[in-house]
Amino acid sequence: MWQRTWRKVDVRWLLAAFGLLLIAGTWTMTMVQLSSTRQAQIADARRDARGLARLFDEHASRTIVAADQAVIFLRHRYSSLGMGLDIGRELREGLGPSDLYNLFSIVDGNADVVLSSKPFKPMNLADRAHISVHRDGALGDALYISQPVLGRVSQRWSLQLTRRIGGPEGAFKGVVVTSLDPSYFTRLYEQIDVGQRGSIALVGADGVVRARRVGGDDSRGQDIGSSAVFATMRRGAQGVFDDAGPIDGRQRIYAYEKLRAYPLYVLVGIDLEERLAGHAAGRVQALALAAAVTLLIGLVCAGFIVMTGRLIDSREQAIAASLAKSRFLSNMSHELRTPLNGILGYSELLAEELGEGTRGGFARAVHECGMRLFGLIESVLELSALESGKTVVELHAEPLAEVARQALAGHAGAAAARQLSLECELAPQLGALLVCDRAKLLRVLDILLRNAVAASAPGRVCLRMAPGADGLLVQVADHGQGVPAELRRQIFQKFSPLDDSPSRAKDGAALGLAIAARLVELMGGRIWVEAAAGAPGAIFSFTLPLRRADLAPPAPLAAVAPLEEPA
């Protein structure tokens, strides 16, 4: 009797343990997958916030530089013309129309408004901080960016950008004032999806918010100087962190960038609850699916326990029952594993692919992120691989003329369509073979030649290779409008357009030149751009260590031709 009872209890505990193990495995995989998906969405949100912060930084910097140039221009004209200055005409002729500015004013040495771009009543601004800071000489000739103030002339909220007007021997002769609309800094991003509770803000180094947008609402003037968010921002020039909003207390993923030349920070916050809303909806469905699998396992295990008990009850067929049980368990285990593997596989697949809404939240969240980054992803992945430090340079002796021919041939069709001639100049001092990483060198040349062809009007694009002071000097000269001097230092940075003028191509994510710069740096060289001497266009140059496999002259230029597109 005890033996029979023990055998029944033993088998039942074994089956129960087996069922519990399967259930534990199901829930473990479900929870691990949910956690992994949540972390992936948070990582996506951090990348999105970082990218938007960089874009906002670039936009804010350009905006302030443009306003400062206007201030300097008016100061110069006022110094020349005095009260004969017509601000409205100067702005129309010199700057053109813009919704960036609310007002331009000239304030004299007594802090009286003497000239303005809009009609005004006589008034004194001696009590304004953006006047007193110049009158007291605290800033010298530096640009001052005020906190948001309600303009007495414009009657609109604005940021005052001011510069001192100096007289003989440094005397204070007044101030040039331009009033910027704070919402201009955030209005550009109305079409960028940071969510209804996501925030974009421009914050001064004094902790006062210059401009802030949450969803469709604009605000300004809040002091966050004592908050943990601002304390984190003060620790570095850029960063990403999680914290509660200092104004509304919403938990957000924040990314910030400090403007290089100004005491300002850009701050982008992605609301964590809003970003994970799809995950929450998918989590409910994943848990429901896991519960259904648990029920199925419980029913199967219960059936096993019942059938095993009946088999044990038959003493006369103990051996046969034992063999039948073994065969039955073996067959049923096999049949159980097959649908169970399918259930677990589909569970994992659904956990990855379900999105918010009626079809689940996971796929939609991934889809939404994918749609925003679709145009950037290939370049971003390549750039990320370069920045990870895991990219290896593989050096081999390569035919120099063949490398040049291959680089040019890929752009022959585009050049012919734009009525451009592709030319190649190889210095005879170069050897026939060059020790280099062919794939990376061709990638750099492809980026530069593609930009040159896109930028050039009918004319020519020339690829030159010659020995230089630092090794091999490679140049790509185009026949376009050239690169403005103020952009030459930053076009090799990520998300820095080559040119904002309508006369030059500016499609893409502005990552090509950043990739080229990092590839050149990886290969031990440097890259720069300069204006073409005595002709329109720009010359992109880079150097590489000159490792020649031999000193034989390269193939003649005729070997590089023809580059025309086949008929």
Side-chain angles (χ1 to χ4, degrees):
M1 179 178 179
W2 285 105
Q3 183 179 7
R4 179 182 179 184
T5 303
W6 171 251
R7 290 176 61 186
K8 289 183 178 180
V9 171
D10 181 62
V11 171
R12 289 174 180 177
W13 276 108
L14 180 62
L15 292 174
F18 179 68
L20 290 175
L21 180 63
L22 292 178
I23 292 172
T26 299
W27 283 96
T28 299
M29 293 187 65
T30 299
M31 299 308 295
V32 168
Q33 187 60 44
L34 287 173
S35 176
S36 175
T37 304
R38 185 179 189 276
Q39 293 303 319
Q41 292 203 9
I42 291 176
D44 286 342
R46 294 173 72 90
R47 284 192 293 268
D48 291 347
R50 187 63 175 271
L52 289 174
R54 289 172 178 167
L55 289 173
F56 193 14
D57 174 27
E58 186 67 26
H59 172 252
S61 296
R62 289 176 179 271
T63 300
I64 294 175
V65 167
D68 191 25
Q69 289 175 346
V71 169
I72 294 174
F73 171 74
L74 287 180
R75 182 175 66 177
H76 170 73
R77 297 296 292 165
Y78 178 70
S79 298
S80 301
L81 302 177
M83 293 301 293
L85 174 67
D86 186 342
I87 295 180
R89 187 182 65 186
E90 295 289 343
L91 293 176
R92 288 191 300 272
E93 296 178 356
L95 300 178
S98 174
D99 60 351
L100 170 60
Y101 314 107
N102 289 341
L103 182 70
F104 283 92
S105 302
I106 303 293
V107 179
D108 65 11
N110 296 320
D112 293 322
V113 178
V114 294
L115 292 173
S116 178
S117 59
K118 293 182 179 180
F120 67 97
K121 297 179 181 180
M123 64 181 65
N124 187 274
L125 302 180
D127 60 324
R128 292 291 201 184
H130 58 274
I131 303 299
S132 61
V133 70
H134 293 294
R135 183 184 58 203
D136 299 340
L139 287 182
D141 191 44
L143 177 71
Y144 177 76
I145 304 173
S146 76
Q147 298 179 7
V149 297
L150 183 62
R152 293 177 181 171
V153 175
S154 65
Q155 293 301 307
R156 296 171 62 183
W157 283 100
S158 59
L159 301 179
Q160 309 294 342
L161 272 63
T162 59
R163 277 190 180 272
R164 188 175 190 267
I165 302 174
E169 300 181 357
F172 175 68
K173 301 295 291 183
V175 176
V176 180
V177 182
T178 179
S179 300
L180 271 66
D181 184 356
S183 65
Y184 183 85
F185 290 94
T186 56
R187 193 164 58 240
L188 178 66
Y189 299 95
E190 291 178 356
Q191 303 303 318
I192 298 179
D193 184 14
V194 294
Q196 289 299 313
R197 296 170 180 172
S199 66
I200 298 177
L202 183 68
V203 184
D206 54 3
V208 176
V209 176
R210 266 54 176 182
R212 180 174 182 264
R213 186 178 186 87
V214 178
D217 299 328
D218 289 327
S219 62
R220 65 203 65 81
Q222 300 92 337
D223 188 349
I224 64 170
S226 59
S227 67
V229 169
F230 188 69
T232 303
M233 294 166 57
R234 294 294 298 271
R235 295 172 188 165
Q238 60 183 16
V240 181
F241 61 95
D242 301 351
D243 210 331
I247 298 174
D248 55 14
R250 299 286 306 180
Q251 193 71 26
R252 293 188 178 94
I253 296 174
Y254 285 105
Y256 69 94
E257 296 270 344
K258 186 180 185 302
L259 274 63
R260 290 182 295 274
Y262 305 102
L264 295 171
Y265 296 84
V266 296
L267 181 65
V268 175
I270 295 180
D271 189 83
L272 192 59
E273 180 182 348
E274 190 172 38
R275 176 54 69 95
L276 294 178
H279 169 78
R283 184 175 183 273
V284 172
Q285 295 191 3
L287 294 178
L289 181 61
V293 173
T294 300
L295 179 60
L296 176 61
I297 294 173
L299 293 175
V300 172
C301 289
F304 269 102
I305 292 173
V306 171
M307 288 185 289
T308 302
R310 290 179 179 178
L311 290 173
I312 294 176
D313 287 339
S314 180
R315 295 185 59 185
E316 294 78 11
Q317 301 177 357
I319 296 176
S322 178
L323 293 175
K325 181 189 68 175
S326 298
R327 291 193 297 269
F328 182 79
L329 289 175
S330 176
N331 293 335
M332 289 301 297
S333 296
H334 175 74
E335 295 298 326
L336 176 64
R337 284 194 297 269
T338 300
L340 182 59
N341 287 335
I343 291 171
L344 293 176
Y346 279 112
S347 173
E348 181 178 359
L349 181 61
L350 288 173
E352 294 176 354
E353 295 183 358
L354 287 178
E356 63 178 308
T358 57
R359 295 306 239 174
F362 291 129
R364 185 167 301 168
V366 173
H367 176 70
E368 290 175 357
C369 295
M371 290 300 293
R372 288 197 303 272
L373 297 176
F374 181 78
L376 300 175
I377 188 62
E378 291 298 331
S379 296
V380 171
L381 285 177
E382 183 177 1
L383 195 60
S384 298
L386 290 170
E387 291 178 342
S388 69
K390 297 180 180 179
T391 305
V392 179
V393 176
E394 299 180 359
L395 299 177
H396 301 284
E398 303 288 351
L400 188 59
E402 182 180 333
V403 171
R405 181 188 302 109
Q406 183 177 352
L408 290 170
H411 302 277
R418 296 179 65 87
Q419 300 179 2
L420 292 170
S421 65
L422 294 179
E423 301 178 5
C424 181
E425 299 176 4
L426 301 180
Q429 297 89 343
L430 294 173
L433 297 177
L434 175 68
V435 177
C436 65
D437 189 319
R438 178 169 183 156
K440 293 179 177 60
L441 177 57
L442 285 173
R443 176 63 172 140
V444 175
L445 292 175
D446 177 70
I447 292 172
L448 298 183
L449 287 169
R450 183 173 64 250
N451 287 347
V453 170
S456 297
R460 71 190 188 102
V461 172
C462 183
L463 170 63
R464 306 188 188 104
M465 295 186 181
D470 298 328
L472 175 66
L473 174 63
V474 182
Q475 294 182 320
V476 175
D478 62 44
H479 200 67
Q481 296 298 317
V483 180
E486 63 271 15
L487 296 179
R488 293 174 189 168
R489 291 185 178 181
Q490 63 192 42
I491 59 174
F492 296 106
Q493 301 173 5
K494 292 176 288 187
F495 305 107
S496 296
L498 180 63
D499 194 345
D500 281 340
S501 68
S503 60
R504 195 171 183 93
K506 52 184 177 182
D507 55 328
L511 289 176
L513 290 176
I515 293 173
R518 282 156 178 78
L519 285 172
V520 170
E521 181 180 355
L522 181 65
M523 293 187 287
R526 64 187 185 91
I527 188 170
W528 70 94
V529 62
E530 57 192 346
I539 300 176
F540 284 81
S541 307
F542 65 91
T543 61
L544 295 177
L546 187 57
R547 308 180 183 94
R548 294 177 295 184
D550 60 66
L551 297 177
L557 295 182
V560 180
L563 296 173
E564 292 79 7
E565 189 176 23

